[in-house]
Amino acid sequence: MEKEIITDSIITAKEALKKAPKLEGITTGIEGLDNLFFTAVIENNKPQKKPLGGMPKYSVCNITGINDTGKSLMAEQFAIHRAQFEKVCFITVETPANYVVASMKLRAAAMGVDAKVIDENIIFIDATSHYKLRDEIPTFLNTLAYAIKEYDIKDVVIDSITGFFENKEMMARTIVRMIYNFLKKWYQTSILVSQKRSGHDLLSSEAAGGYAVGHIVDGTIVLSKEVIDSSYKAKMYKKPIGEIIRLFRIDGCRMSGHDTKVRTLEITDTGIVKIGNPIGGES
């Protein structure tokens, strides 16, 4: 039997570079996040940090954490903000689209964004109500490709990616890689929400399916929360015993440099997420 050789897979660095997009940042609408990504430039023969001004364009970013840490709020906030400039596709896997829309309307008001932005520029794919979209990945990707072409979509949010493999974790890597490669092929700046098991280390990037998401995507944001239940924690976090503190960390980003500190994360009374100062001192 003749051995197959896929010559199309062989490409020189020069040829590959021609297809690489320019590295630039896009704003996220999340206070305190955009200035945490940077690139390096040479000035006076020395490398200098240059702020990217947002998350890398065309990156696929995973937001992971246990429940009630702000993952979905952050994803919705990103979608609403980006919808002021371009079309966004929001894929609902956990909650039916009509409930997500109602939530987004309230969040838009808190952000000072006209609700018409959601009506006109956010396109929903309701995988919650259509099981084939969750169970048949090719059908899901064909549907998403149609939406991208039909509405000229530039950004994609999936809440949550875990819903595509929650009952078939042995296939998690394959499923995530298929979705990731699709998003990269279509040049979509993307947020994938994943649910982390509470038994995992709070600030690690492990999520349902082991390392299926974090090891494939371009970057991971880890959210966590702790109960202030000791005088030690009260002193460290500067909060009274009995309160909850939420934490934020960028676990990695292949496309650009990034801040590595553990920071506070605030969810305001109106449901707006804000990234705060590093634990232990000012940035």
Side-chain angles (χ1 to χ4, degrees), residues 55-187:
M55 66 181 284
K57 191 174 185 179
Y58 307 127
S59 65
V60 178
C61 182
N62 172 37
I63 300 179
T64 188
I66 60 173
N67 65 302
D68 189 37
T69 49
K71 302 182 303 297
S72 293
L73 297 180
M74 189 176 285
E76 289 183 19
Q77 202 165 319
F78 170 83
I80 293 165
H81 174 76
R82 293 310 309 166
Q84 296 176 98
F85 313 104
E86 54 204 13
K87 294 287 197 298
V88 178
C89 183
F90 199 102
I91 298 142
T92 64
V93 188
E94 309 293 343
T95 306
N98 54 319
Y99 289 95
V100 177
V101 172
S103 172
M104 278 192 178
K105 294 275 187 175
L106 295 174
R107 205 159 328 286
M111 292 170 65
V113 175
D114 192 327
K116 288 183 179 179
V117 164
I118 297 172
D119 297 332
E120 297 172 1
N121 284 345
I122 298 184
I123 313 304
F124 288 87
I125 294 179
D126 192 347
T128 305
S129 304
H130 299 273
Y131 74 91
K132 275 192 174 183
L133 294 174
R134 300 190 308 275
D135 296 343
E136 300 175 12
I137 299 302
T139 300
F140 164 66
L141 295 180
N142 288 338
T143 303
L144 181 52
Y146 173 83
I148 290 171
K149 289 184 290 186
E150 185 74 11
Y151 296 97
D152 192 25
I153 288 164
K154 303 298 182 185
D155 307 298
V156 170
V157 175
I158 302 178
D159 188 7
S160 71
I161 190 73
T162 315
F164 287 102
F165 57 81
E166 58 189 353
N167 62 346
K168 43 190 173 186
E169 290 194 7
M170 293 296 290
M171 292 291 293
R173 283 176 179 265
T174 299
I175 291 169
V176 174
R177 194 174 297 281
M178 288 173 67
I179 294 173
Y180 170 81
N181 288 339
F182 174 93
L183 295 169
K184 299 300 281 188
K185 174 185 175 182
W186 286 88
Y187 294 95

Side-chain angles (χ1 to χ4, degrees), residues 244-257:
I244 290 176
I245 186 167
R246 291 181 174 84
L247 303 173
F248 160 99
R249 182 173 70 85
I250 301 176
D251 188 67
C253 182
R254 295 190 186 115
M255 293 181 66
S256 72

